[in-house]
Amino acid sequence: MLTSSTSRVLRRTALRYNGRRFASHGEHYNEPSGWLFGEKPLPPGQKRVKEDWENVWYIGMIGGMGFAGLMLYYKPDTSVQSWALKEAKARMEARGEKYQYEPSSSSTTPPPASS
C-alpha cells in the first residue's frame, strides 16, 4: 500500500514525464486574436512585407500545378475501351471485314413521311 506522500511523488513524476513522452514540451496555446492568420491590419499607407518562404511557396505550387496539368494532358491512353477498339479493328481487318459503317447505295428513296 502506498502512502499519500509516495503517491504524490509518483503523480508528479508521471505528469513530468508524460509531456516528454509525447514530445509536447509543455502546454502551448495561441489565444485567438480575431485577425485573419493572426496578422493585425496595417495602418493606411503601409505595405505588408512578405516573409522569405512565401515566394518560394507560390512558385512551387503554381509550377507544380502547371507540371501536373501538362503531364495529365500528355499522358498515354491506357483505357480498356481504346485497347478493345484497336484489337477489334485489327481482327476485323485480318478477316477481311469492314470496321466502319458505309450505307448501301441501293435504297436512295427517303422513307415516307408519317401523317
Side-chain angles (χ1 to χ4, degrees), residues 75-95 97 99:
K75 79 173 190 168
D77 185 14
T78 58
S79 68
V80 173
Q81 288 86 2
S82 299
W83 171 83
L85 181 63
K86 289 176 191 174
E87 186 71 20
K89 284 180 181 179
R91 289 182 184 184
M92 289 179 83
E93 283 179 349
R95 288 189 301 233
E97 299 174 0
Y99 59 86

Side-chain angles (χ1 to χ4, degrees), residues 29-49:
Y29 178 70
N30 294 329
E31 187 78 25
S33 65
W35 304 107
L36 183 63
F37 305 119
E39 294 183 6
K40 293 182 181 178
L42 297 173
Q46 284 189 349
K47 195 172 183 181
R48 182 181 171 275
V49 178

Side-chain angles (χ1 to χ4, degrees), residues 38-67:
E39 294 183 6
K40 293 182 181 178
L42 297 173
Q46 284 189 349
K47 195 172 183 181
R48 182 181 171 275
V49 178
K50 286 186 180 181
E51 293 186 22
D52 295 339
W53 59 267
E54 290 185 62
N55 287 333
V56 174
W57 188 86
Y58 292 136
I59 291 168
M61 287 299 289
I62 292 169
M65 292 293 185
F67 181 73

